[in-house]
Each structure stands twice: as C-alpha cells, then as structure tokens.
Amino acid sequence: MTVCAGAAYAQDVGARDAAPLVNKGDNAWMLISSALVLMMSIPGLALFYGGLVRAKNMLSVLTQVLTIVALVGVTWTLFGYSLAFSDGGAMTAFVGGFSKAFLSIAPEGKTIADATVPTFSNGVVIPELTYFVFQMTFAMITPALIVGAFAERIKFSAMLLFMFLWSTLIYLPVAHWVWYAAAPDDVASAARALAAASGGAAKAAAQAKFDAVTHSVGWIGGGLAPWMKGVGALDFAGGTVVHINAGIAGLVGALVIGKRIGYGREALPPHSLTMSMIGASLLWVGWFGFNAGSALEASATASLAFVNTMIATAAAALSWLFSEWTLKGKPSLLGLISGAVAGLVAVTPASGFAGPMGSLILGLIVSPICLFFVSTVKNRFGYDDALDVFGVHCVGGITGALLTGVLVSPAFGGVGITDYANVAGNNIGTYDMARQMIAQATAVLATLIWSGLGSAVLYKIVDLVIGLRPTRDEEREGLDIAEHGEQAYNY
C-alpha cells in the first residue's frame, strides 16, 4: 500500500510494540506552527478582508472572522476533532466516530498529556494535544475564508448558523477523507508480518491484519490501492480540504445570496488597501506554519515546505503584478497582494512534495489563471464574489492540487511517492503520473461536488429558517451599524 505522505495520521499508538518518546524540538515547532496558523485568521485574514470592503462594513467582517474562529474552537473540542480524526468503524472511509469527543484522548491508566500521535516518519510521535490544536487552527480558518465571497450583504445570525452547519457537515468529512490514515509504523509492521508469514493459516492471518490496517483510511487519501483503501490523492497542507472546499462554498453563497446593492452600477472600492497589505503580509508569514507545520516534525520536509512556500509566493506575486501591468497599464498593490495569496494557495497541496524549481513554476503559472477568473470570467458571468474567494482560493487550489500530481515526480525535482508497506525499509514507492493525476482529479471533483451541493442546501435551509440578507436599508447603511451597533471608525 502506498501511503499519502501528506495525510495527517491520528491513530492511537498504544497498539505499538514500544511507544517512542516525543522530541521536544518537534513539539516546539508544532506549537509555534499552530500559533502561526491562528495568526493567519486573526488578525491576518480579518485585516486582509476588512481592508477590501467599504468602511461601513469593516467592523462586520472583523466580527465575522473572529466569531468563526471562536465558534470552531468550541465545536472542534466537543466533536469536530473526533469526527475528523478517529476511526469511524464501518464508515471510516467517509467520516470518523465519537471516540475522541469531548477530547477523550487519555491513554488507559495515563493522563491526557501522555497521548501521542504518529508523524510521517517511522518511530516518531508528537503529543496528541499539539496535533489537536494544530488541526483546530485549520478548521478555524477554512470557514472564515468563505465570508469574503458574500461580504457586505449577509445577516450576522445567518452567517453564524451557516458556519456552524458547514464546518460540521462539510469540512469535517472532507478533512477525514483526505487526511485520516493508519500510522506509518502500523502499516510497516503489518507489511513485514505479511512478508514473513509462512503457511496458509499464518499468511491468511497476516493478510487480514494488513487489510485491517490499510483499510483504516479516508477514501480520498491513503494509497493507490483499491478504492476503499484510498485513491491516493496528495494534499500536503490543504489544497482540497481548505481552499477548494471554502472557495466553491463561497461561490455558491455569492450566487444564492445575490449581488450587493449597486453592484455593476456603483463603484465599490476597497476602503483601505493599507489594511489589506498588512493582512496579506501576516497571511504570508503565518502560512509557514500552515505548510511547513504540516510536516508534523522539525524535519527536512518542513524545510522543503518552508522554502517552497517562500519561492512560489514570491513568483506568484510578481507574475500577477506583471500580468496586470501588461493588461491594464499600471501595476497595482491590490494585484500584488492578490498574487501573493494565489501563490500561497497553489503551493499549499504541493509544498511538501514539489521541489523548489517546481514551486517557482507553479507560482508563475497560477497568477495568470486566477487573474483570468477574477476579471474575465467573473465579469462575463456577472456573479458578485466580493473578495474573489472563488477566483483565488478555489481556482488557485485546483491549479495547485492538479499540478501536485506532476511536481511530486522525481523527474521534476519532487520527492516521489512514499510507501510505508515497502518491506525493504526505505519507504520508496512507485510514481505513476497517469494514476496520480487521476487521483488528484478525483479529489478535486469530490470536493467540488460535496461542498458545492452541500453548501447550496445549507444556504437554503438557513434562508428558510432566519433569512440570509439584511433589509435594503440596513445594507445601504452598512452592516457595522445595522448588525452590531458600532463602527470601525469614529471620526
């Protein structure tokens, strides 16, 4: 079985022969990474989005992002972590269970601080509390990304209800599909036992054990084995789980909620590109926790993801700048920061798999594609994706997810495929571009369909229950005053 090196393993290690000790350096890096990812949401994303709306809606955007962070922090603790990263029994391919609900992770006879989870190296673990909070920050920022698509025109109560439903019913299953898999040591041990077994009964027992381990996987991730063992899609840090997932939900929201009053007839410029520049810069810095932290260790893979993130983002920022300069005659700050975010999005699934030159090419490619969608495609179809969540996050995420299947190839400087069932002990798997691209496309399509259709249903439910939009008078007044009774600026 080929195990996805970008999957996030959450199996208990109690079944192992000997539980390894936590490396303090790995744990320190992962705690820092968790704080960096939190910084991406607050204040990074909040300021980035807040600066792009009109002044009368600045505070509403800040409030929405911070509220989502707090909401998901609670739901992730109560049941979210368990549904995303525990065994779901007969439904393990699709969703986890409730064995870790209320953060019930303490090993028998020990405290919660003693619980550990494996990383991507054989014999290496980190505290499960560290992994829990790291993944919490991913769950926090993903729904917060969506609000940019329908900014300036949704009731706060409707936003809150939708985000509760979406983060539970859409995000958690997708995270499980892509990132839940058996521990590397468990796969390696089962593979060695199967190879060493002699005699019919022994081989049958070893095969049953191997099948049980390799079937403990979300259906999108895992290996390139039969479907229930995972289609083998690679997503190091969230191209599908975060960006495509949130991006398509944003587009559906923009369509269901409708356009802002005056869209296409009145100028609706950003009120503070200064704020957006600060927010984009915080996103770039925080993204190192997002991508390099997804190595789960202070390892060479973390260094690779760190470097790839730096290079792809720089290339994408310049690519957008020069593309826009060529098309419109002037280089803009808005284009520069949009390109940086597009590069960050695109390199996310590839960050631990591609080589530096592959990441450079990825950054150069993604910006013209996203620019085409946020300008030509959006204008052609007339949808009001206020802050280009679909055009940057979904389109950028799709670009990165598909090209990950190419850039992982050692022929293009990538790291190749990891196979923990390789009994030779070198964990080297076989790379097949056609097979890998099918796996990547399957992950993209599955996420688009699940999140797109599921979000449409949830928007309609919320609209029927409490209504999605404020009144026209409230929207014209601005959501700061209408929804919150306060404003971002008092002159």
Side-chain angles (χ1 to χ4, degrees), residues 366-389:
V366 71
S367 282
I369 296 173
C370 290
L371 176 59
F372 176 72
F373 272 86
V374 304
S375 55
T376 305
V377 173
K378 186 167 76 168
N379 291 336
R380 171 65 179 82
F381 291 96
Y383 56 86
D384 183 13
D385 178 5
L387 308 184
D388 293 316
V389 175

Side-chain angles (χ1 to χ4, degrees), residues 111-174:
T111 71
I112 191 172
D114 295 313
T116 59
V117 293
T119 68
F120 306 125
S121 300
N122 295 103
V124 180
V125 297
I126 59 173
E128 186 160 6
L129 286 174
T130 300
Y131 183 72
F132 159 82
V133 77
F134 180 67
Q135 284 293 343
M136 175 191 280
T137 60
F138 279 63
M140 287 170 167
I141 196 172
T142 305
L145 292 171
I146 302 172
V147 303
F150 46 67
E152 304 191 294
R153 63 192 191 278
I154 191 170
K155 291 164 60 175
F156 183 76
S157 57
M159 181 283 303
L160 190 61
L161 178 58
F162 173 80
M163 292 305 173
F164 170 75
L165 295 172
W166 189 90
S167 62
T168 300
L169 301 175
I170 306 298
Y171 179 82
L172 297 180
V174 176

Side-chain angles (χ1 to χ4, degrees), residues 402-406 431-442:
L402 294 177
L403 287 180
T404 296
V406 176
Y431 172 76
D432 183 319
M433 183 177 291
R435 190 166 58 176
Q436 193 60 53
M437 291 306 295
I438 291 172
Q440 299 304 113
T442 300

Side-chain angles (χ1 to χ4, degrees), residues 220-231:
I220 285 181
L224 302 176
W227 182 78
M228 284 299 288
K229 293 184 182 179
V231 299

